[in-house]
């Protein structure tokens, strides 16, 4: 069982917007602004898409945005494209022993 | 450019040991926390350990505590993971990762560890 809760799957059509949620507790998501989001295509290493809740690394399209409210963080992808189809994982710093916890992952299907 | 290259993966019997290495280049290794993250086949990501710049602060997931040991050699730009008492559930791709503000901004390509008799 993952420490952070994500929906198993979401889907959307090209051009639409989707949002993936990531729910934790006050010990992780709610307590720190160290929420990150990763995109992983099959057989590839994950790629950082968002860090510190809402910051995009250089090279990540501005179609990707992050936010947080209370114990829930969200990743929004606008203007969906076929290449956005992938697994998405959230993570957060946590005051528990491991330091960082991941969500269980969300499979995004572009219809 | 930033590179992290894992080595040392392979097939090992239950109860056996394996040592993963990660050679880094393209950045000042001693300035960054680094971590090991694993992904079992068809499963999600698991942060199993990280180590601070000077090696003085170390974290382990409960799933590997007491069996795995993380270490680094800043002079050799290398990160290590000594894995003892391996179990079938340790079968996974192990990623070496650079950590910045508790996010992984660079990942290695991964090393497959298979624990099977």
């Amino acid at each position: 069982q993952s420490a952070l809760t994500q929906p198993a799957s979401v889907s959307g059509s090209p051009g639409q917007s989707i949002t993936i949620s990531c729910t934790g507790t006050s010990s992780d998501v709610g307590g720190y602004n160290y929420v990150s989001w990763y995109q992983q295509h099959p057989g590839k290493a994950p790629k950082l898409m968002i860090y510190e809740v809402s910051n995009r690394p250089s090279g990540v399209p501005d179609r990707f945005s992050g936010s947080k409210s209370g114990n829930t963080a969200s990743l929004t992808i606008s203007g969906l494209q076929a290449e956005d189809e992938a697994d998405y994982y959230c993570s957060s710093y946590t005051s528990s022993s491991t330091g960082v916890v991941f969500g269980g992952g969300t499979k995004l299907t572009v219809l | 450019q930033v590179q992290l290259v894992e080595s040392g993966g392979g097939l090992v019997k239950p109860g056996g040991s394996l040592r993963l290495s990660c050679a880094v280049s393209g950045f000042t290794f001693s300035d960054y926390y680094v971590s090991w993250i694993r992904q079992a086949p068809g499963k999600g990501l698991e942060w199993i350990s990280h180590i601070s710049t000077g090696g003085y602060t170390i974290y382990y997931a409960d799933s590997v505590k007491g069996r795995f040991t993380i270490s680094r050699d800043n002079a050799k730009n290398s990160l290590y993971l000594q894995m003892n008492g391996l179990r079938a559930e340790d079968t996974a791709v192990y990623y070496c990762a650079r950590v910045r503000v508790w996010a992984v901004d660079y990942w290695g390509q991964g090393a497959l560890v298979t624990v099977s008799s």
Side-chain angles (χ1 to χ4, degrees):
Chain A
Q1 188 173 359
S2 302
L4 306 180
T5 301
Q6 298 181 232
S9 63
V10 298
S11 62
S13 300
Q16 287 186 332
S17 294
I18 63 94
T19 297
I20 300 171
S21 62
C22 171
T23 301
T25 69
S26 57
S27 296
D28 37 68
V29 173
Y32 306 92
N33 287 325
Y34 292 126
V35 176
S36 305
W37 289 92
Y38 303 90
Q39 176 191 67
Q40 186 179 35
H41 288 110
K44 301 293 188 182
K47 175 187 176 183
L48 179 65
M49 306 302 285
I50 297 288
Y51 66 97
E52 290 184 296
V53 177
S54 59
N55 293 322
R56 277 187 311 277
S58 173
V60 172
D62 59 7
R63 302 184 296 104
F64 292 82
S65 63
S67 62
K68 188 183 84 166
S69 177
N71 295 337
T72 298
S74 299
L75 173 71
T76 298
I77 309 174
S78 58
L80 268 180
Q81 300 182 1
E83 58 262 37
D84 298 334
E85 184 163 293
D87 292 325
Y88 290 83
Y89 294 90
C90 64
S91 74
S92 172
Y93 175 81
T94 175
S95 54
S96 70
S97 62
T98 57
V100 173
V101 291
F102 283 102
T106 298
K107 182 176 180 59
L108 169 62
T109 300
V110 180
L111 302 170
Chain B
Q1 69 280 22
V2 172
Q3 284 192 310
L4 300 95
V5 180
E6 301 94 340
S7 60
L11 175 64
V12 61
K13 289 181 168 52
S17 298
L18 213 55
R19 189 194 197 206
L20 299 181
S21 299
C22 175
V24 312
S25 60
F27 66 98
T28 303
F29 181 60
S30 58
D31 284 348
Y32 290 86
Y33 277 46
V34 279
S35 71
W36 289 100
I37 296 165
R38 71 183 180 183
Q39 187 170 34
K43 302 297 185 182
L45 301 169
E46 181 185 15
W47 186 291
I48 58 170
S49 182
H50 68 251
I51 186 168
S52 62
T53 54
Y56 300 110
T57 299
I58 289 175
Y59 285 99
Y60 295 104
D62 288 343
S63 57
V64 305
K65 198 175 295 182
R67 300 186 299 123
F68 290 12
T69 302
I70 191 172
S71 62
R72 67 189 295 165
D73 186 333
N74 288 341
K76 294 184 177 180
N77 290 334
S78 293
L79 174 69
Y80 307 99
L81 186 68
Q82 177 65 43
M83 303 184 292
N84 298 331
L86 283 161
R87 307 166 180 166
E89 54 265 36
D90 295 318
T91 294
V93 173
Y94 285 73
Y95 293 102
C96 168
R98 189 180 88 165
V99 180
R100 192 176 75 86
V101 291
W102 298 111
V104 175
D105 58 354
Y106 286 95
W107 299 71
Q109 84 285 357
L112 177 62
V113 172
T114 303
V115 184
S116 175
S117 54

